[in-house]
Amino acid sequence: QVQLVESGGGLVQPGGSLRLSCAASGITFRIYVMGWYRQAPGKQRELVATITSGGSTNSADSVKGRFTMSRDNAKKTVYLQMNSLKPEETAVYYCNAHWATLAYWGQGTQVTVSS
């Protein structure tokens, strides 16, 4: 029943931008902390950014000033605006939702930064 579906990934040149979306269903979206994570080949999954139910955001130091997370509770969708992308940010980007002991993951969307 619970689904997190990411979209918006693709191939982008270094310095380019993408906006990822994550559409949620089957959860009371507004109360969940939402997060974006990424996993590059051969590396651990890492936290990119989070947003609380109240809209407070935090992000990894590596993306501060370039990535912006937002949420639209009416649409049950969270976004990640990614600007000035770097090749080393090539990864599968995953959407996460958590509340108390509950946690859910999307299937991921591939972001490739390459010229």
Side-chain angles (χ1 to χ4, degrees), residues 22 29-37 47-60 67-73 76-81 95-99:
C22 172
F29 180 84
R30 62 178 176 83
I31 70 173
Y32 277 73
V33 176
M34 303 297 296
W36 284 100
Y37 293 72
L47 178 65
V48 177
T50 60
I51 187 165
T52 69
S53 61
S56 180
T57 59
N58 201 5
S59 60
F67 290 13
T68 303
M69 193 172 179
S70 60
R71 68 192 295 159
D72 185 335
N73 287 341
K76 300 182 75 171
T77 301
V78 66
Y79 305 94
L80 184 67
Q81 178 66 47
C95 180
N96 170 268
H98 76 267
W99 178 76

PDB file of all heavy atoms in Angstrom, residues 22 29-37 47-60 67-73 76-81 95-99:
ATOM      1  N   CYS A  22       9.330  13.083  -5.546  1.00  0.00           N
ATOM      2  CA  CYS A  22       8.961  11.843  -4.876  1.00  0.00           C
ATOM      3  C   CYS A  22       7.512  11.959  -4.465  1.00  0.00           C
ATOM      4  O   CYS A  22       7.171  12.782  -3.600  1.00  0.00           O
ATOM      5  CB  CYS A  22       9.855  11.598  -3.665  1.00  0.00           C
ATOM      6  SG  CYS A  22       9.336  10.213  -2.619  1.00  0.00           S
ATOM      7  N   PHE A  29       1.132  11.730   4.913  1.00  0.00           N
ATOM      8  CA  PHE A  29       2.352  12.370   4.441  1.00  0.00           C
ATOM      9  C   PHE A  29       2.802  13.531   5.318  1.00  0.00           C
ATOM     10  O   PHE A  29       3.990  13.683   5.606  1.00  0.00           O
ATOM     11  CB  PHE A  29       2.143  12.838   3.000  1.00  0.00           C
ATOM     12  CG  PHE A  29       3.339  13.518   2.392  1.00  0.00           C
ATOM     13  CD1 PHE A  29       4.356  12.776   1.823  1.00  0.00           C
ATOM     14  CD2 PHE A  29       3.433  14.899   2.389  1.00  0.00           C
ATOM     15  CE1 PHE A  29       5.450  13.390   1.257  1.00  0.00           C
ATOM     16  CE2 PHE A  29       4.524  15.530   1.822  1.00  0.00           C
ATOM     17  CZ  PHE A  29       5.540  14.771   1.253  1.00  0.00           C
ATOM     18  N   ARG A  30       1.881  14.344   5.744  1.00  0.00           N
ATOM     19  CA  ARG A  30       2.217  15.585   6.430  1.00  0.00           C
ATOM     20  C   ARG A  30       2.986  15.399   7.728  1.00  0.00           C
ATOM     21  O   ARG A  30       3.668  16.325   8.164  1.00  0.00           O
ATOM     22  CB  ARG A  30       0.953  16.409   6.689  1.00  0.00           C
ATOM     23  CG  ARG A  30      -0.045  15.722   7.588  1.00  0.00           C
ATOM     24  CD  ARG A  30      -1.261  16.619   7.842  1.00  0.00           C
ATOM     25  NE  ARG A  30      -2.270  15.912   8.625  1.00  0.00           N
ATOM     26  CZ  ARG A  30      -2.244  15.808   9.941  1.00  0.00           C
ATOM     27  NH1 ARG A  30      -1.259  16.352  10.644  1.00  0.00           N
ATOM     28  NH2 ARG A  30      -3.209  15.152  10.579  1.00  0.00           N
ATOM     29  N   ILE A  31       2.878  14.241   8.361  1.00  0.00           N
ATOM     30  CA  ILE A  31       3.551  14.029   9.635  1.00  0.00           C
ATOM     31  C   ILE A  31       4.934  13.388   9.481  1.00  0.00           C
ATOM     32  O   ILE A  31       5.669  13.268  10.470  1.00  0.00           O
ATOM     33  CB  ILE A  31       2.708  13.175  10.599  1.00  0.00           C
ATOM     34  CG1 ILE A  31       2.611  11.717  10.131  1.00  0.00           C
ATOM     35  CG2 ILE A  31       1.324  13.782  10.778  1.00  0.00           C
ATOM     36  CD1 ILE A  31       1.945  10.799  11.132  1.00  0.00           C
ATOM     37  N   TYR A  32       5.289  13.001   8.288  1.00  0.00           N
ATOM     38  CA  TYR A  32       6.549  12.305   8.069  1.00  0.00           C
ATOM     39  C   TYR A  32       7.705  13.258   7.821  1.00  0.00           C
ATOM     40  O   TYR A  32       7.547  14.285   7.153  1.00  0.00           O
ATOM     41  CB  TYR A  32       6.432  11.357   6.868  1.00  0.00           C
ATOM     42  CG  TYR A  32       5.825  10.020   7.207  1.00  0.00           C
ATOM     43  CD1 TYR A  32       4.470   9.901   7.472  1.00  0.00           C
ATOM     44  CD2 TYR A  32       6.620   8.883   7.250  1.00  0.00           C
ATOM     45  CE1 TYR A  32       3.913   8.676   7.787  1.00  0.00           C
ATOM     46  CE2 TYR A  32       6.067   7.654   7.560  1.00  0.00           C
ATOM     47  CZ  TYR A  32       4.721   7.552   7.821  1.00  0.00           C
ATOM     48  OH  TYR A  32       4.178   6.328   8.123  1.00  0.00           O
ATOM     49  N   VAL A  33       8.843  12.888   8.363  1.00  0.00           N
ATOM     50  CA  VAL A  33      10.096  13.479   7.925  1.00  0.00           C
ATOM     51  C   VAL A  33      10.474  12.819   6.607  1.00  0.00           C
ATOM     52  O   VAL A  33      10.462  11.592   6.492  1.00  0.00           O
ATOM     53  CB  VAL A  33      11.218  13.282   8.952  1.00  0.00           C
ATOM     54  CG1 VAL A  33      12.537  13.829   8.420  1.00  0.00           C
ATOM     55  CG2 VAL A  33      10.850  13.955  10.269  1.00  0.00           C
ATOM     56  N   MET A  34      10.784  13.626   5.638  1.00  0.00           N
ATOM     57  CA  MET A  34      11.168  13.123   4.333  1.00  0.00           C
ATOM     58  C   MET A  34      12.650  13.369   4.099  1.00  0.00           C
ATOM     59  O   MET A  34      13.206  14.366   4.562  1.00  0.00           O
ATOM     60  CB  MET A  34      10.357  13.799   3.231  1.00  0.00           C
ATOM     61  CG  MET A  34       8.848  13.659   3.383  1.00  0.00           C
ATOM     62  SD  MET A  34       8.288  11.934   3.295  1.00  0.00           S
ATOM     63  CE  MET A  34       8.757  11.519   1.607  1.00  0.00           C
ATOM     64  N   GLY A  35      13.253  12.463   3.381  1.00  0.00           N
ATOM     65  CA  GLY A  35      14.665  12.602   3.096  1.00  0.00           C
ATOM     66  C   GLY A  35      15.014  12.162   1.694  1.00  0.00           C
ATOM     67  O   GLY A  35      14.314  11.347   1.086  1.00  0.00           O
ATOM     68  N   TRP A  36      16.083  12.731   1.195  1.00  0.00           N
ATOM     69  CA  TRP A  36      16.699  12.276  -0.040  1.00  0.00           C
ATOM     70  C   TRP A  36      18.066  11.694   0.303  1.00  0.00           C
ATOM     71  O   TRP A  36      18.841  12.313   1.036  1.00  0.00           O
ATOM     72  CB  TRP A  36      16.867  13.401  -1.055  1.00  0.00           C
ATOM     73  CG  TRP A  36      15.604  13.797  -1.746  1.00  0.00           C
ATOM     74  CD1 TRP A  36      14.814  14.867  -1.466  1.00  0.00           C
ATOM     75  CD2 TRP A  36      14.998  13.131  -2.859  1.00  0.00           C
ATOM     76  NE1 TRP A  36      13.750  14.913  -2.319  1.00  0.00           N
ATOM     77  CE2 TRP A  36      13.836  13.853  -3.185  1.00  0.00           C
ATOM     78  CE3 TRP A  36      15.312  11.995  -3.604  1.00  0.00           C
ATOM     79  CZ2 TRP A  36      12.992  13.487  -4.230  1.00  0.00           C
ATOM     80  CZ3 TRP A  36      14.475  11.627  -4.639  1.00  0.00           C
ATOM     81  CH2 TRP A  36      13.334  12.361  -4.944  1.00  0.00           C
ATOM     82  N   TYR A  37      18.324  10.523  -0.218  1.00  0.00           N
ATOM     83  CA  TYR A  37      19.597   9.849  -0.070  1.00  0.00           C
ATOM     84  C   TYR A  37      20.131   9.521  -1.448  1.00  0.00           C
ATOM     85  O   TYR A  37      19.386   9.501  -2.427  1.00  0.00           O
ATOM     86  CB  TYR A  37      19.439   8.549   0.722  1.00  0.00           C
ATOM     87  CG  TYR A  37      19.055   8.728   2.172  1.00  0.00           C
ATOM     88  CD1 TYR A  37      17.778   9.134   2.534  1.00  0.00           C
ATOM     89  CD2 TYR A  37      19.974   8.470   3.186  1.00  0.00           C
ATOM     90  CE1 TYR A  37      17.423   9.286   3.865  1.00  0.00           C
ATOM     91  CE2 TYR A  37      19.627   8.615   4.520  1.00  0.00           C
ATOM     92  CZ  TYR A  37      18.351   9.022   4.848  1.00  0.00           C
ATOM     93  OH  TYR A  37      17.997   9.169   6.168  1.00  0.00           O
ATOM     94  N   LEU A  47      23.079  10.402   3.193  1.00  0.00           N
ATOM     95  CA  LEU A  47      22.009  11.380   3.316  1.00  0.00           C
ATOM     96  C   LEU A  47      22.361  12.632   2.531  1.00  0.00           C
ATOM     97  O   LEU A  47      23.467  13.164   2.648  1.00  0.00           O
ATOM     98  CB  LEU A  47      21.794  11.725   4.787  1.00  0.00           C
ATOM     99  CG  LEU A  47      20.729  12.784   5.096  1.00  0.00           C
ATOM    100  CD1 LEU A  47      19.350  12.280   4.710  1.00  0.00           C
ATOM    101  CD2 LEU A  47      20.767  13.149   6.576  1.00  0.00           C
ATOM    102  N   VAL A  48      21.407  13.108   1.762  1.00  0.00           N
ATOM    103  CA  VAL A  48      21.576  14.335   0.997  1.00  0.00           C
ATOM    104  C   VAL A  48      20.878  15.500   1.681  1.00  0.00           C
ATOM    105  O   VAL A  48      21.466  16.561   1.886  1.00  0.00           O
ATOM    106  CB  VAL A  48      21.055  14.169  -0.440  1.00  0.00           C
ATOM    107  CG1 VAL A  48      21.155  15.480  -1.213  1.00  0.00           C
ATOM    108  CG2 VAL A  48      21.822  13.067  -1.158  1.00  0.00           C
ATOM    109  N   ALA A  49      19.615  15.306   2.022  1.00  0.00           N
ATOM    110  CA  ALA A  49      18.837  16.372   2.638  1.00  0.00           C
ATOM    111  C   ALA A  49      17.625  15.787   3.317  1.00  0.00           C
ATOM    112  O   ALA A  49      17.158  14.698   2.967  1.00  0.00           O
ATOM    113  CB  ALA A  49      18.409  17.411   1.597  1.00  0.00           C
ATOM    114  N   THR A  50      17.106  16.514   4.295  1.00  0.00           N
ATOM    115  CA  THR A  50      15.873  16.133   4.970  1.00  0.00           C
ATOM    116  C   THR A  50      14.971  17.341   5.100  1.00  0.00           C
ATOM    117  O   THR A  50      15.427  18.488   5.056  1.00  0.00           O
ATOM    118  CB  THR A  50      16.107  15.554   6.377  1.00  0.00           C
ATOM    119  OG1 THR A  50      16.756  16.532   7.197  1.00  0.00           O
ATOM    120  CG2 THR A  50      16.951  14.292   6.319  1.00  0.00           C
ATOM    121  N   ILE A  51      13.703  17.062   5.281  1.00  0.00           N
ATOM    122  CA  ILE A  51      12.739  18.113   5.566  1.00  0.00           C
ATOM    123  C   ILE A  51      11.740  17.571   6.575  1.00  0.00           C
ATOM    124  O   ILE A  51      11.229  16.464   6.434  1.00  0.00           O
ATOM    125  CB  ILE A  51      12.058  18.623   4.278  1.00  0.00           C
ATOM    126  CG1 ILE A  51      11.179  19.844   4.582  1.00  0.00           C
ATOM    127  CG2 ILE A  51      11.261  17.522   3.585  1.00  0.00           C
ATOM    128  CD1 ILE A  51      10.777  20.605   3.327  1.00  0.00           C
ATOM    129  N   THR A  52      11.481  18.351   7.612  1.00  0.00           N
ATOM    130  CA  THR A  52      10.567  17.928   8.659  1.00  0.00           C
ATOM    131  C   THR A  52       9.129  18.187   8.251  1.00  0.00           C
ATOM    132  O   THR A  52       8.844  18.792   7.215  1.00  0.00           O
ATOM    133  CB  THR A  52      10.855  18.665   9.970  1.00  0.00           C
ATOM    134  OG1 THR A  52      10.496  20.043   9.823  1.00  0.00           O
ATOM    135  CG2 THR A  52      12.320  18.558  10.359  1.00  0.00           C
ATOM    136  N   SER A  53       8.219  17.719   9.104  1.00  0.00           N
ATOM    137  CA  SER A  53       6.808  17.961   8.856  1.00  0.00           C
ATOM    138  C   SER A  53       6.483  19.450   8.831  1.00  0.00           C
ATOM    139  O   SER A  53       5.531  19.864   8.165  1.00  0.00           O
ATOM    140  CB  SER A  53       5.956  17.259   9.913  1.00  0.00           C
ATOM    141  OG  SER A  53       6.256  17.740  11.213  1.00  0.00           O
ATOM    142  N   GLY A  54       7.267  20.236   9.551  1.00  0.00           N
ATOM    143  CA  GLY A  54       7.062  21.673   9.581  1.00  0.00           C
ATOM    144  C   GLY A  54       7.776  22.435   8.491  1.00  0.00           C
ATOM    145  O   GLY A  54       7.673  23.662   8.430  1.00  0.00           O
ATOM    146  N   GLY A  55       8.520  21.724   7.656  1.00  0.00           N
ATOM    147  CA  GLY A  55       9.184  22.369   6.543  1.00  0.00           C
ATOM    148  C   GLY A  55      10.609  22.814   6.811  1.00  0.00           C
ATOM    149  O   GLY A  55      11.211  23.491   5.969  1.00  0.00           O
ATOM    150  N   SER A  56      11.150  22.438   7.958  1.00  0.00           N
ATOM    151  CA  SER A  56      12.537  22.767   8.261  1.00  0.00           C
ATOM    152  C   SER A  56      13.473  21.824   7.524  1.00  0.00           C
ATOM    153  O   SER A  56      13.300  20.608   7.570  1.00  0.00           O
ATOM    154  CB  SER A  56      12.775  22.674   9.765  1.00  0.00           C
ATOM    155  OG  SER A  56      14.113  22.987  10.085  1.00  0.00           O
ATOM    156  N   THR A  57      14.458  22.372   6.849  1.00  0.00           N
ATOM    157  CA  THR A  57      15.353  21.564   6.029  1.00  0.00           C
ATOM    158  C   THR A  57      16.754  21.505   6.592  1.00  0.00           C
ATOM    159  O   THR A  57      17.207  22.396   7.319  1.00  0.00           O
ATOM    160  CB  THR A  57      15.425  22.100   4.594  1.00  0.00           C
ATOM    161  OG1 THR A  57      15.892  23.457   4.609  1.00  0.00           O
ATOM    162  CG2 THR A  57      14.064  22.048   3.925  1.00  0.00           C
ATOM    163  N   ASN A  58      17.433  20.448   6.247  1.00  0.00           N
ATOM    164  CA  ASN A  58      18.844  20.290   6.522  1.00  0.00           C
ATOM    165  C   ASN A  58      19.445  19.564   5.335  1.00  0.00           C
ATOM    166  O   ASN A  58      18.748  18.838   4.632  1.00  0.00           O
ATOM    167  CB  ASN A  58      19.075  19.510   7.813  1.00  0.00           C
ATOM    168  CG  ASN A  58      20.453  19.749   8.399  1.00  0.00           C
ATOM    169  OD1 ASN A  58      21.235  20.561   7.915  1.00  0.00           O
ATOM    170  ND2 ASN A  58      20.759  19.037   9.483  1.00  0.00           N
ATOM    171  N   SER A  59      20.712  19.764   5.118  1.00  0.00           N
ATOM    172  CA  SER A  59      21.359  19.135   3.983  1.00  0.00           C
ATOM    173  C   SER A  59      22.804  18.821   4.298  1.00  0.00           C
ATOM    174  O   SER A  59      23.401  19.411   5.206  1.00  0.00           O
ATOM    175  CB  SER A  59      21.267  20.023   2.741  1.00  0.00           C
ATOM    176  OG  SER A  59      21.902  21.268   2.957  1.00  0.00           O
ATOM    177  N   ALA A  60      23.339  17.896   3.546  1.00  0.00           N
ATOM    178  CA  ALA A  60      24.743  17.560   3.688  1.00  0.00           C
ATOM    179  C   ALA A  60      25.604  18.754   3.313  1.00  0.00           C
ATOM    180  O   ALA A  60      25.246  19.548   2.438  1.00  0.00           O
ATOM    181  CB  ALA A  60      25.087  16.369   2.804  1.00  0.00           C
ATOM    182  N   PHE A  67      21.678  22.465  -3.517  1.00  0.00           N
ATOM    183  CA  PHE A  67      20.479  21.640  -3.514  1.00  0.00           C
ATOM    184  C   PHE A  67      19.456  22.243  -2.564  1.00  0.00           C
ATOM    185  O   PHE A  67      19.809  22.716  -1.475  1.00  0.00           O
ATOM    186  CB  PHE A  67      20.778  20.218  -3.046  1.00  0.00           C
ATOM    187  CG  PHE A  67      21.595  19.375  -3.989  1.00  0.00           C
ATOM    188  CD1 PHE A  67      22.258  19.919  -5.072  1.00  0.00           C
ATOM    189  CD2 PHE A  67      21.684  18.010  -3.764  1.00  0.00           C
ATOM    190  CE1 PHE A  67      23.009  19.126  -5.925  1.00  0.00           C
ATOM    191  CE2 PHE A  67      22.427  17.204  -4.607  1.00  0.00           C
ATOM    192  CZ  PHE A  67      23.093  17.757  -5.691  1.00  0.00           C
ATOM    193  N   THR A  68      18.204  22.183  -2.947  1.00  0.00           N
ATOM    194  CA  THR A  68      17.124  22.677  -2.113  1.00  0.00           C
ATOM    195  C   THR A  68      16.009  21.652  -2.054  1.00  0.00           C
ATOM    196  O   THR A  68      15.508  21.218  -3.090  1.00  0.00           O
ATOM    197  CB  THR A  68      16.565  24.004  -2.642  1.00  0.00           C
ATOM    198  OG1 THR A  68      17.613  24.973  -2.730  1.00  0.00           O
ATOM    199  CG2 THR A  68      15.471  24.531  -1.716  1.00  0.00           C
ATOM    200  N   MET A  69      15.641  21.278  -0.852  1.00  0.00           N
ATOM    201  CA  MET A  69      14.551  20.345  -0.660  1.00  0.00           C
ATOM    202  C   MET A  69      13.286  21.097  -0.272  1.00  0.00           C
ATOM    203  O   MET A  69      13.338  22.093   0.448  1.00  0.00           O
ATOM    204  CB  MET A  69      14.907  19.329   0.424  1.00  0.00           C
ATOM    205  CG  MET A  69      13.980  18.144   0.481  1.00  0.00           C
ATOM    206  SD  MET A  69      14.610  16.883   1.624  1.00  0.00           S
ATOM    207  CE  MET A  69      13.292  15.676   1.480  1.00  0.00           C
ATOM    208  N   SER A  70      12.157  20.613  -0.747  1.00  0.00           N
ATOM    209  CA  SER A  70      10.881  21.219  -0.416  1.00  0.00           C
ATOM    210  C   SER A  70       9.802  20.151  -0.396  1.00  0.00           C
ATOM    211  O   SER A  70      10.011  19.029  -0.868  1.00  0.00           O
ATOM    212  CB  SER A  70      10.525  22.330  -1.412  1.00  0.00           C
ATOM    213  OG  SER A  70      10.426  21.820  -2.727  1.00  0.00           O
ATOM    214  N   ARG A  71       8.660  20.492   0.170  1.00  0.00           N
ATOM    215  CA  ARG A  71       7.552  19.547   0.187  1.00  0.00           C
ATOM    216  C   ARG A  71       6.253  20.269  -0.089  1.00  0.00           C
ATOM    217  O   ARG A  71       6.085  21.449   0.245  1.00  0.00           O
ATOM    218  CB  ARG A  71       7.492  18.781   1.515  1.00  0.00           C
ATOM    219  CG  ARG A  71       7.112  19.611   2.731  1.00  0.00           C
ATOM    220  CD  ARG A  71       7.366  18.837   4.027  1.00  0.00           C
ATOM    221  NE  ARG A  71       6.518  17.664   4.149  1.00  0.00           N
ATOM    222  CZ  ARG A  71       6.790  16.618   4.926  1.00  0.00           C
ATOM    223  NH1 ARG A  71       7.916  16.601   5.654  1.00  0.00           N
ATOM    224  NH2 ARG A  71       5.953  15.595   4.981  1.00  0.00           N
ATOM    225  N   ASP A  72       5.343  19.545  -0.686  1.00  0.00           N
ATOM    226  CA  ASP A  72       4.004  20.022  -0.949  1.00  0.00           C
ATOM    227  C   ASP A  72       3.067  18.998  -0.336  1.00  0.00           C
ATOM    228  O   ASP A  72       2.817  17.940  -0.913  1.00  0.00           O
ATOM    229  CB  ASP A  72       3.765  20.173  -2.449  1.00  0.00           C
ATOM    230  CG  ASP A  72       2.417  20.790  -2.774  1.00  0.00           C
ATOM    231  OD1 ASP A  72       1.481  20.685  -1.959  1.00  0.00           O
ATOM    232  OD2 ASP A  72       2.293  21.378  -3.864  1.00  0.00           O
ATOM    233  N   ASN A  73       2.572  19.299   0.848  1.00  0.00           N
ATOM    234  CA  ASN A  73       1.751  18.333   1.565  1.00  0.00           C
ATOM    235  C   ASN A  73       0.433  18.060   0.855  1.00  0.00           C
ATOM    236  O   ASN A  73      -0.103  16.950   0.937  1.00  0.00           O
ATOM    237  CB  ASN A  73       1.495  18.809   2.994  1.00  0.00           C
ATOM    238  CG  ASN A  73       2.726  18.700   3.866  1.00  0.00           C
ATOM    239  OD1 ASN A  73       3.669  17.972   3.552  1.00  0.00           O
ATOM    240  ND2 ASN A  73       2.732  19.428   4.969  1.00  0.00           N
ATOM    241  N   LYS A  76       1.283  15.595  -1.583  1.00  0.00           N
ATOM    242  CA  LYS A  76       2.016  14.473  -0.993  1.00  0.00           C
ATOM    243  C   LYS A  76       3.283  14.184  -1.790  1.00  0.00           C
ATOM    244  O   LYS A  76       3.607  13.038  -2.117  1.00  0.00           O
ATOM    245  CB  LYS A  76       1.120  13.234  -0.893  1.00  0.00           C
ATOM    246  CG  LYS A  76      -0.117  13.462  -0.043  1.00  0.00           C
ATOM    247  CD  LYS A  76      -0.986  12.224   0.102  1.00  0.00           C
ATOM    248  CE  LYS A  76      -0.385  11.229   1.057  1.00  0.00           C
ATOM    249  NZ  LYS A  76      -1.320  10.113   1.363  1.00  0.00           N
ATOM    250  N   THR A  77       4.002  15.235  -2.069  1.00  0.00           N
ATOM    251  CA  THR A  77       5.190  15.154  -2.900  1.00  0.00           C
ATOM    252  C   THR A  77       6.317  15.968  -2.284  1.00  0.00           C
ATOM    253  O   THR A  77       6.088  17.058  -1.751  1.00  0.00           O
ATOM    254  CB  THR A  77       4.896  15.655  -4.322  1.00  0.00           C
ATOM    255  OG1 THR A  77       3.855  14.861  -4.898  1.00  0.00           O
ATOM    256  CG2 THR A  77       6.136  15.567  -5.204  1.00  0.00           C
ATOM    257  N   VAL A  78       7.513  15.413  -2.359  1.00  0.00           N
ATOM    258  CA  VAL A  78       8.705  16.103  -1.917  1.00  0.00           C
ATOM    259  C   VAL A  78       9.618  16.275  -3.126  1.00  0.00           C
ATOM    260  O   VAL A  78       9.612  15.437  -4.046  1.00  0.00           O
ATOM    261  CB  VAL A  78       9.394  15.343  -0.764  1.00  0.00           C
ATOM    262  CG1 VAL A  78       9.930  13.991  -1.228  1.00  0.00           C
ATOM    263  CG2 VAL A  78      10.497  16.178  -0.142  1.00  0.00           C
ATOM    264  N   TYR A  79      10.382  17.346  -3.126  1.00  0.00           N
ATOM    265  CA  TYR A  79      11.222  17.687  -4.257  1.00  0.00           C
ATOM    266  C   TYR A  79      12.667  17.885  -3.826  1.00  0.00           C
ATOM    267  O   TYR A  79      12.952  18.213  -2.673  1.00  0.00           O
ATOM    268  CB  TYR A  79      10.742  18.980  -4.924  1.00  0.00           C
ATOM    269  CG  TYR A  79       9.299  18.957  -5.335  1.00  0.00           C
ATOM    270  CD1 TYR A  79       8.313  19.464  -4.498  1.00  0.00           C
ATOM    271  CD2 TYR A  79       8.914  18.430  -6.561  1.00  0.00           C
ATOM    272  CE1 TYR A  79       6.980  19.446  -4.868  1.00  0.00           C
ATOM    273  CE2 TYR A  79       7.590  18.403  -6.944  1.00  0.00           C
ATOM    274  CZ  TYR A  79       6.626  18.912  -6.096  1.00  0.00           C
ATOM    275  OH  TYR A  79       5.303  18.894  -6.475  1.00  0.00           O
ATOM    276  N   LEU A  80      13.555  17.699  -4.761  1.00  0.00           N
ATOM    277  CA  LEU A  80      14.952  18.051  -4.563  1.00  0.00           C
ATOM    278  C   LEU A  80      15.423  18.790  -5.802  1.00  0.00           C
ATOM    279  O   LEU A  80      15.571  18.188  -6.868  1.00  0.00           O
ATOM    280  CB  LEU A  80      15.817  16.817  -4.318  1.00  0.00           C
ATOM    281  CG  LEU A  80      17.289  17.100  -4.011  1.00  0.00           C
ATOM    282  CD1 LEU A  80      17.436  17.799  -2.659  1.00  0.00           C
ATOM    283  CD2 LEU A  80      18.109  15.813  -4.043  1.00  0.00           C
ATOM    284  N   GLN A  81      15.612  20.086  -5.658  1.00  0.00           N
ATOM    285  CA  GLN A  81      16.165  20.895  -6.728  1.00  0.00           C
ATOM    286  C   GLN A  81      17.678  20.833  -6.631  1.00  0.00           C
ATOM    287  O   GLN A  81      18.251  21.233  -5.618  1.00  0.00           O
ATOM    288  CB  GLN A  81      15.689  22.339  -6.617  1.00  0.00           C
ATOM    289  CG  GLN A  81      16.267  23.272  -7.673  1.00  0.00           C
ATOM    290  CD  GLN A  81      15.802  22.945  -9.065  1.00  0.00           C
ATOM    291  OE1 GLN A  81      14.607  22.728  -9.291  1.00  0.00           O
ATOM    292  NE2 GLN A  81      16.735  22.883 -10.014  1.00  0.00           N
ATOM    293  N   CYS A  95      14.248   8.321  -2.252  1.00  0.00           N
ATOM    294  CA  CYS A  95      13.352   9.037  -1.374  1.00  0.00           C
ATOM    295  C   CYS A  95      13.067   8.186  -0.145  1.00  0.00           C
ATOM    296  O   CYS A  95      12.874   6.972  -0.244  1.00  0.00           O
ATOM    297  CB  CYS A  95      12.049   9.341  -2.119  1.00  0.00           C
ATOM    298  SG  CYS A  95      10.807  10.239  -1.185  1.00  0.00           S
ATOM    299  N   ASN A  96      13.043   8.816   1.009  1.00  0.00           N
ATOM    300  CA  ASN A  96      12.773   8.142   2.268  1.00  0.00           C
ATOM    301  C   ASN A  96      11.712   8.898   3.050  1.00  0.00           C
ATOM    302  O   ASN A  96      11.683  10.129   3.038  1.00  0.00           O
ATOM    303  CB  ASN A  96      14.061   8.047   3.098  1.00  0.00           C
ATOM    304  CG  ASN A  96      13.823   7.587   4.522  1.00  0.00           C
ATOM    305  OD1 ASN A  96      13.632   8.403   5.421  1.00  0.00           O
ATOM    306  ND2 ASN A  96      13.849   6.278   4.721  1.00  0.00           N
ATOM    307  N   ALA A  97      10.862   8.148   3.714  1.00  0.00           N
ATOM    308  CA  ALA A  97       9.879   8.717   4.625  1.00  0.00           C
ATOM    309  C   ALA A  97       9.983   8.001   5.954  1.00  0.00           C
ATOM    310  O   ALA A  97      10.020   6.768   5.983  1.00  0.00           O
ATOM    311  CB  ALA A  97       8.468   8.568   4.059  1.00  0.00           C
ATOM    312  N   HIS A  98      10.056   8.761   7.042  1.00  0.00           N
ATOM    313  CA  HIS A  98      10.048   8.102   8.339  1.00  0.00           C
ATOM    314  C   HIS A  98       9.259   8.880   9.376  1.00  0.00           C
ATOM    315  O   HIS A  98       9.216  10.107   9.351  1.00  0.00           O
ATOM    316  CB  HIS A  98      11.463   7.774   8.826  1.00  0.00           C
ATOM    317  CG  HIS A  98      12.254   8.927   9.362  1.00  0.00           C
ATOM    318  ND1 HIS A  98      13.100   9.677   8.573  1.00  0.00           N
ATOM    319  CD2 HIS A  98      12.351   9.435  10.613  1.00  0.00           C
ATOM    320  CE1 HIS A  98      13.684  10.603   9.323  1.00  0.00           C
ATOM    321  NE2 HIS A  98      13.244  10.474  10.555  1.00  0.00           N
ATOM    322  N   TRP A  99       8.645   8.102  10.247  1.00  0.00           N
ATOM    323  CA  TRP A  99       7.871   8.636  11.362  1.00  0.00           C
ATOM    324  C   TRP A  99       7.864   7.595  12.455  1.00  0.00           C
ATOM    325  O   TRP A  99       7.455   6.459  12.249  1.00  0.00           O
ATOM    326  CB  TRP A  99       6.440   8.965  10.909  1.00  0.00           C
ATOM    327  CG  TRP A  99       5.564   9.472  12.007  1.00  0.00           C
ATOM    328  CD1 TRP A  99       5.584  10.720  12.558  1.00  0.00           C
ATOM    329  CD2 TRP A  99       4.533   8.754  12.696  1.00  0.00           C
ATOM    330  NE1 TRP A  99       4.635  10.822  13.548  1.00  0.00           N
ATOM    331  CE2 TRP A  99       3.971   9.627  13.647  1.00  0.00           C
ATOM    332  CE3 TRP A  99       4.032   7.454  12.588  1.00  0.00           C
ATOM    333  CZ2 TRP A  99       2.943   9.236  14.492  1.00  0.00           C
ATOM    334  CZ3 TRP A  99       3.003   7.071  13.427  1.00  0.00           C
ATOM    335  CH2 TRP A  99       2.468   7.966  14.364  1.00  0.00           C
TER     336      TRP A  99
END
